[in-house]
Amino acid sequence: PECNGVHLQPEEWCAWQEPPPGQPARPPRQGAEAVAREVVARLQLPPANPQVGPDPSWNEWNMAVVGHPLWLWVDGQNTLASSNSAYGIDVTLTATHERTTFAMGDGTTVTCASTQPYPRGAVEAGTPSPVCGHTYQKAPQHGTYPVSATTHWRVAWSAAGYTGTLSTTMTASRDLPVGELQAVVVRR
């Protein structure tokens, strides 16, 4: 292979020497890891779109309600396997979801090792999530809270006879309408 200072550090890749005849070619570990990093950067992990349940669109107010428990989750698989090649090196990856961190917009951060979608119609209203949830204590000043989710992944890789692990994240956000319901007493 030629020395490629764009994708790999020249001292890493250019240290590689052509093997003696009859022996397999093998780059230095740093070169294999650099290729693995590049392949991980192209890995199509599930988006981290924050989901809440019950969803505000399911009620007549089109908002989540202060004091009412919300279930938090992100859609997608928890494990993903992939193989790809770069610069003549085959790379095998296994990505495993480690945790999701939700920034709720009210100053609260919720970190969950696992999440579970809200089973609409299968649980009684007001039931807290058994694994990952949040309850707002006050309404936002401007009607919505900016909610973001960051999924943290551990990626095991193997390439050119080497193995290792890398970490990566995916982040997405949404504006969540949150309001407070008031009881009104009407006298007749």
Side-chain angles (χ1 to χ4, degrees):
E2 68 183 63
C3 297
N4 186 338
V6 174
H7 299 289
L8 305 171
Q9 298 298 316
E11 63 273 11
E12 294 171 350
W13 194 256
C14 296
W16 182 82
Q17 299 291 318
E18 186 71 33
Q23 291 192 9
R26 185 175 185 202
R29 177 177 176 78
Q30 298 92 334
E33 185 168 344
V35 171
R37 284 183 190 282
E38 186 170 318
V39 172
V40 167
R42 294 186 306 213
L43 185 61
Q44 296 294 312
L45 293 170
N49 299 322
Q51 305 294 320
V52 299
D55 191 271
S57 66
W58 299 346
N59 65 48
E60 62 191 270
W61 311 287
N62 287 317
M63 66 181 185
V65 178
V66 170
H68 189 83
L70 292 174
W71 293 36
L72 305 173
W73 75 95
V74 293
D75 291 325
Q77 301 169 290
N78 287 329
T79 305
L80 182 67
S82 178
S83 295
N84 210 330
S85 320
Y87 311 104
I89 298 175
D90 294 327
V91 181
T92 301
L93 307 172
T94 302
T96 304
H97 174 263
E98 291 189 307
R99 67 190 179 284
T100 302
T101 302
F102 296 90
M104 300 307 298
D106 63 350
T108 304
T109 301
V110 179
T111 300
C112 304
S114 65
T115 62
Q116 179 179 334
Y118 183 80
R120 186 176 183 179
V123 296
E124 187 176 324
T127 301
S129 170
V131 292
C132 188
H134 179 66
T135 302
Y136 284 105
Q137 300 303 312
K138 64 180 183 175
Q141 216 172 14
H142 302 290
T144 63
Y145 279 121
V147 176
S148 68
T150 301
T151 53
H152 302 264
W153 295 83
R154 181 177 35 82
V155 184
W157 62 269
S158 64
Y162 303 105
T163 61
T165 58
L166 300 168
S167 295
T168 191
T169 60
M170 298 289 289
T171 300
S173 61
R174 70 181 278 190
D175 288 330
L176 182 66
V178 177
E180 193 167 355
L181 298 178
Q182 300 287 331
V184 177
V185 177
V186 177
R187 294 184 189 241
R188 294 184 190 225

